[in-house]
Amino acid sequence: MSQFLPTWGIPASRTKVYDYLSEMRLPKKYVDKCQTDSRQTHHDYFIFWSFIPIATGFHDRGLTTRSLEKGSAVEGERFRHDFKFCVDDYLYYIELQLSDLAQTRWRQKIRQYVRYYRKIKRPFRVLFVLDQHGSMTYVRSHARAVLKEEGHSELNLFLFTNLGELRKADNPAVQRIWWSVHGGPKERISLLES
């Protein structure tokens, strides 16, 4: 949190964040829930670990992230995103994949977002972050196939990177670390270009 707050113009050290939370005198129900939810999963850790440098990168370019949501149901749909945020009026979703997904699960996850796009008719991006061992070629080919099956071959909803690329990037919003569904295996773009 202390890394993210400066993107909203609130510089705060980790100590200040803890001091602030203790001074808030939150209701007992809320404090109890925080204590039971305090065991962060490996997946949740990497969701925030992925989001914070992206938010910082946008902030460095004068853009603010807002409307943050973790693990909520996608509006009017039967699936949940891992993380959602907006930059200005543009909507982004982050999907983190730490383990291998079978072909059918990849297709299902991608198809849900294509159908959601068809429903809302508003552009957005889904940022897939794979572990080091995830096959970018494999995942991108499934995304292309689903887009074709759904009649949206030209759509560019999905961008892909891996944890290693994200970790090395000084500014993951600006640097070309993202593969689109379209383009060659060496062609990468930045989030600001997409």
Side-chain angles (χ1 to χ4, degrees):
M1 187 184 292
S2 60
Q3 295 168 315
F4 172 71
L5 288 174
T7 70
W8 282 357
I10 308 169
S13 67
R14 185 175 291 199
T15 305
K16 282 186 179 181
V17 170
Y18 285 122
D19 289 346
Y20 172 73
L21 290 174
S22 65
E23 289 171 12
M24 284 181 62
R25 299 179 192 250
L26 297 168
K28 182 171 176 24
K29 257 168 105 173
Y30 184 82
V31 173
D32 290 346
K33 179 164 177 29
C34 286
Q35 288 170 351
T36 59
D37 289 348
S38 66
R39 291 179 297 277
Q40 188 178 45
T41 68
H42 191 65
H43 185 265
D44 288 350
Y45 170 80
F46 279 105
I47 285 291
F48 293 119
W49 183 89
S50 299
F51 167 70
I52 289 171
I54 293 169
T56 303
F58 279 121
H59 175 72
D60 290 349
R61 292 299 171 127
L63 301 166
T64 303
T65 54
R66 60 179 181 74
S67 303
L68 314 179
E69 291 180 19
K70 186 194 134 327
S72 302
V74 175
E75 184 183 327
E77 298 298 316
R78 300 179 95 183
F79 71 98
R80 295 182 174 278
H81 56 72
D82 287 341
F83 199 81
K84 172 186 156 187
F85 65 99
C86 290
V87 176
D88 289 336
D89 289 329
Y90 203 84
L91 182 59
Y92 289 89
Y93 293 97
I94 297 177
E95 289 291 340
L96 177 69
Q97 197 56 49
L98 295 176
S99 59
D100 290 337
L101 268 187
Q103 172 182 342
T104 52
R105 294 281 298 141
W106 272 116
R107 287 179 178 256
Q108 179 184 0
K109 187 176 265 204
I110 291 166
R111 185 169 277 113
Q112 289 169 327
Y113 278 108
V114 173
R115 291 181 177 163
Y116 180 61
Y117 169 79
R118 191 180 302 137
K119 182 177 174 181
I120 68 168
K121 293 182 177 23
R122 174 184 171 200
F124 59 85
R125 288 283 181 272
V126 183
L127 310 176
F128 283 96
V129 180
L130 310 176
D131 68 2
Q132 264 54 312
H133 309 291
S135 170
M136 205 63 66
T137 305
Y138 175 78
V139 175
R140 289 172 66 224
S141 70
H142 284 295
R144 276 191 299 276
V146 169
L147 287 169
K148 187 175 181 179
E149 291 165 11
E150 294 289 328
H152 289 287
S153 305
E154 76 296 337
L155 205 55
N156 195 20
L157 287 180
F158 309 110
L159 296 175
F160 305 87
T161 196
N162 63 48
L163 288 171
E165 292 289 327
L166 199 57
R167 170 176 263 157
K168 288 188 293 186
D170 293 326
N171 185 331
V174 174
Q175 287 178 275
R176 294 176 171 221
I177 64 166
W178 301 92
W179 283 272
S180 78
V181 170
H182 312 292
K186 298 198 187 262
E187 289 180 51
R188 297 189 221 173
I189 59 174
S190 78
L191 294 180
L192 293 177
E193 292 173 314
S194 63

